[in-house]
Amino acid sequence: MKKNGEPDRSRQFIGCLLVVTLMPLATGCDTMRDSTLTGRLWDDGGVNHCLPAPQPNPKLYRTPDDKDVLVTYDELREKNDSIRRRAFFFQPNVRRLEAHKRPKFVSPDKVVELKLIRVSEAGNTNAPVEEVIFAKISADNQAFTLIWFGTDLGPYALPVYEDRGSEVRRALLTPLATMGDVIVVVVVVAVVAGAIVGYGYAAGQTCHHP
């Protein structure tokens, strides 16, 4: 024979189960998003940022016909703190620089291959008279301005962007993460539904108990 307190204890247990199961819903959208597999995959912690090194050593070179400038600098990869030399041509990447996007990089060896000429610093009194391109580097070496035929272009910040490997990895793993989130939701819904049914059953037992 059941004791009078058994239905009440069942209801208390099921009530606690409901509270624990539904508690994440009360933490807000941001917390819910961060708790999902997909949210964790796409948060900043899973991104490998590439940015100028603390001392990027920027050097600019012009083509012999003065039609373009090659920008070179040291880049830091946040994920492993490795540093590599980067280079990109200015003209094809102006819009990308303005939009703070990843430029189309080329080999730093282009300096030698194309016999590029070092761009003189603005204010350099020793620059050749026929010089038409000058460069101004920011005090922190993180940006540059070109003075081209007397017109200031810039300043342009050295590129900061997400590594393509991170983007590809996240894109490939997103379907799996989404599937995992769906499975979690299904399990939670099943637990809640079972708890509600159990709570109703326990309540019925209490009402009909002699």
Side-chain angles (χ1 to χ4, degrees):
M1 180 180 294
K2 291 184 179 180
K3 297 181 180 179
N4 292 341
E6 287 185 359
D8 289 336
R9 285 197 295 270
S10 298
R11 291 172 62 187
Q12 291 173 0
F13 172 77
I14 295 171
C16 292
L17 181 61
L18 279 172
V19 170
V20 172
T21 305
L22 298 176
M23 189 175 294
L25 298 178
T27 58
C29 295
D30 290 340
T31 304
M32 282 291 293
R33 181 193 60 203
D34 294 340
S35 299
T36 63
L37 297 176
T38 305
R40 291 180 180 179
L41 179 63
W42 284 91
D43 68 7
D44 287 340
V47 178
N48 182 22
H49 289 104
C50 298
L51 63 160
Q55 296 296 330
N57 189 28
K59 293 181 180 179
L60 283 66
Y61 301 85
R62 62 178 176 84
T63 57
D65 58 5
D66 294 328
K67 290 185 177 180
D68 209 345
V69 169
L70 184 74
V71 180
T72 67
Y73 69 100
D74 289 336
E75 177 186 83
L76 171 69
R77 293 167 64 87
E78 278 188 335
K79 193 169 185 179
N80 54 15
D81 290 331
S82 63
I83 293 179
R84 58 179 171 177
R85 195 67 178 168
R86 282 298 209 178
F88 62 89
F89 282 104
F90 175 74
Q91 291 286 14
N93 291 289
V94 172
R95 295 290 176 262
R96 289 177 173 271
L97 292 173
E98 292 173 345
H100 302 286
K101 293 183 178 180
R102 181 185 188 276
K104 295 180 180 179
F105 290 110
V106 297
S107 171
D109 294 336
K110 292 292 184 182
V111 174
V112 177
E113 292 176 12
L114 301 179
K115 298 180 180 179
L116 302 183
I117 304 165
R118 181 75 179 271
V119 174
S120 300
E121 292 185 15
N124 184 359
T125 56
N126 295 323
V129 177
E130 66 275 9
E131 198 80 21
V132 295
I133 303 176
F134 296 90
K136 290 191 295 187
I137 306 298
S138 63
D140 60 0
N141 289 324
Q142 300 290 315
F144 66 92
T145 299
L146 288 174
I147 303 174
W148 210 313
F149 290 95
T151 301
D152 282 20
L153 304 178
Y156 296 97
L158 293 176
V160 177
Y161 61 94
E162 292 182 11
D163 180 57
R164 284 181 174 176
S166 297
E167 296 176 355
V168 172
R169 180 181 64 84
R170 291 193 298 179
L172 292 175
L173 292 178
T174 294
L176 295 177
T178 302
M179 184 180 298
D181 291 333
V182 171
I183 293 174
V184 171
V185 170
V186 170
V187 171
V188 170
V189 170
V191 171
V192 171
I196 292 174
V197 172
Y199 190 86
Y201 175 78
Q205 289 290 98
T206 301
C207 293
H208 292 90
H209 200 280

